[in-house]
């Protein structure tokens, strides 16, 4: 009787645990994210006339739920957005706001409610490797700037948004600093130029293993996530190779240096939301996103596929390109 009770109790617990798991799963939803977006605060941004409000509107149009401003070695873009909003709110409080400024503030508020904007940066480590550091929205900008200083970004270049910053910290130090500060650490375009997993780069196998398997690294951003076959980056880092036993979360981002893609180089010069990832989350929050990357659940990420192509504005593109 005791054995039957134990078996019954164990089965009941299993059913209960499965029920809880199913309930948790049903409470999750797919959201589209782009965690690699540059702003005019990056020195190589291709459309300096673009406003931060334009970027947020484009993110909304592409159906993005979470984005991150990741300018080169600076958090100046994210800071300027909030400085503009704070200035508009001050004018509103003092009852000195103009009608067009009130409209702009209202649009900022609406978009910030709809799209979660995370502060971040794209750090240039030694050997020119690029690493994304992404942080919660309540992380003070000054703290993020202090992290960049700890990573040896020169004080006088903290607002430049330049890719080249001279001697900086090594890759593993950057991973650790970002992770210990509570951030999400992602290797930017890992399989492409300035990526830690770039094929043919002349450094030893042990270094490559360390750079791609480090415990402080949370995900790899790759450019071939939608490719098929066994030679893709995701397949290589699937945990099946003895020397690369840790399976890595692989995502994709636009690395947008302009608002919309260029007609001349559509595959290279992507716009906001042109290459994105779907994530299965219980809520739209930084905490839920970080929990996903810390987990071993690899079924909750997938490349986003648009059901229809976005409308391409040929007139605006001609204006951008100028006379020809």
């Amino acid at each position: 009787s005791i054995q039957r009770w134990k078996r019954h109790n164990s089965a009941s617990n299993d059913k209960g645990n499965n029920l809880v798991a199913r309930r948790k799963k049903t409470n999750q939803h797919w959201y589209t994210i782009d965690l690699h977006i540059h702003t005019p605060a990056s020195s190589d941004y291709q459309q300096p006339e673009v406003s931060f409000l334009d970027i947020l509107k484009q993110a909304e149009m592409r159906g993005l739920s979470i984005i991150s401003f990741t300018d080169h070695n600076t958090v100046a873009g994210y800071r300027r957005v909030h400085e503009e909003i704070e200035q508009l709110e001050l004018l509103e409080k003092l009852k000195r706001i103009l009608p067009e400024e009130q409209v702009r503030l209202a649009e900022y508020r609406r978009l910030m409610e709809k799209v979660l904007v995370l502060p971040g940066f794209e750090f240039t480590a030694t050997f020119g490797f690029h690493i994304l550091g992404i942080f919660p929205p309540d992380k003070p900008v000054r703290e993020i700037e202090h992290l960049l200083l700890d990573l040896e970004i020169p004080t006088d270049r903290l607002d430049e948004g330049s890719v080249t910053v001279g001697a900086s910290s090594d890759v593993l130090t950057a991973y650790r600093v970002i992770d210990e500060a509570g951030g999400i650490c992602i290797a930017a375009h890992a399989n492409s130029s300035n990526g830690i997993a770039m094929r043919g780069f002349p450094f030893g196998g042990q270094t490559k293993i360390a750079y791609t398997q480090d415990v402080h690294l949370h995900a790899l951003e790759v450019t071939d996530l939608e490719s098929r076959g066994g030679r893709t980056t995701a397949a290589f880092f699937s945990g099946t190779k003895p020397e690369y036993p840790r399976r890595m979360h692989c995502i994709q981002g636009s690395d947008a240096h302009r608002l919309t893609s260029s007609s001349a180089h559509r595959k290279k010069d992507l716009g906001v939301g042109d290459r994105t990832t779907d994530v299965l989350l219980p809520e739209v929050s930084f905490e839920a996103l970080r929990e996903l990357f810390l987990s071993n659940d690899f079924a909750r990420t997938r490349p986003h596929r648009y059901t229809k192509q976005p409308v391409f504005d040929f007139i605006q593109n001609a204006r951008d390109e100028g006379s020809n």
Side-chain angles (χ1 to χ4, degrees), residues 172-236:
L172 298 181
T173 297
Y175 291 169
R176 178 183 56 78
V177 168
I178 293 169
D179 183 28
E180 290 181 353
I184 297 172
C185 183
I186 301 173
H189 35 74
N191 61 314
S192 187
S193 57
N194 301 102
I196 60 167
M198 185 172 59
R199 294 173 186 174
F201 197 84
F203 61 83
Q206 291 301 316
T207 303
K208 187 173 181 180
I209 291 170
Y211 283 4
T212 58
Q213 300 283 283
D214 189 78
V215 67
H216 296 293
L217 178 65
H218 301 130
L220 303 176
E221 181 197 50
V222 301
T223 60
D224 61 349
L225 192 59
E226 297 187 74
S227 301
R228 303 277 183 182
R231 293 182 60 83
T232 64
T233 309
F236 187 90

Side-chain angles (χ1 to χ4, degrees), residues 52-210:
F52 296 106
L53 199 55
D54 292 333
I55 296 174
L56 292 176
K57 287 179 180 178
Q58 185 69 8
E60 179 193 34
M61 190 187 78
R62 300 310 300 268
L64 303 180
S65 296
I66 305 175
I67 65 173
S68 181
F69 288 167
T70 51
D71 288 305
H72 294 294
N73 302 299
T74 185
V75 73
Y78 183 85
R79 188 186 69 233
R80 289 171 193 168
V81 173
H82 284 271
E83 285 176 348
E84 183 180 354
I85 294 173
E86 288 170 3
Q87 180 65 25
L88 291 171
E89 288 179 334
L90 177 61
L91 291 172
E92 181 185 53
K93 184 179 179 180
L94 297 174
K95 301 188 185 306
R96 294 171 54 188
I97 192 167
L98 298 174
E100 58 269 25
E101 292 172 332
Q102 187 71 67
V103 170
R104 189 173 183 80
L105 178 58
E107 188 69 350
Y108 263 126
R109 285 170 172 164
R110 185 186 70 81
L111 290 167
M112 288 293 194
E113 283 290 323
K114 195 165 186 179
V115 182
L116 176 61
V117 184
L118 301 175
F121 53 71
E122 183 174 12
F123 174 67
T124 305
T126 51
F127 300 114
F129 294 120
H130 290 186
I131 301 162
L132 300 177
I134 299 163
F135 302 92
D138 58 353
K139 183 86 166 173
V141 169
R142 292 303 181 195
E143 285 188 21
I144 301 175
E145 289 177 334
H146 195 274
L147 293 177
L148 287 167
L149 294 174
D150 287 343
L151 292 172
E152 299 183 38
I153 299 297
T155 306
D156 58 344
R157 307 195 66 180
L158 201 56
D159 284 348
E160 282 188 8
S162 175
V163 180
T164 56
V165 289
S168 61
S169 297
D170 64 275
V171 170
L172 298 181
T173 297
Y175 291 169
R176 178 183 56 78
V177 168
I178 293 169
D179 183 28
E180 290 181 353
I184 297 172
C185 183
I186 301 173
H189 35 74
N191 61 314
S192 187
S193 57
N194 301 102
I196 60 167
M198 185 172 59
R199 294 173 186 174
F201 197 84
F203 61 83
Q206 291 301 316
T207 303
K208 187 173 181 180
I209 291 170

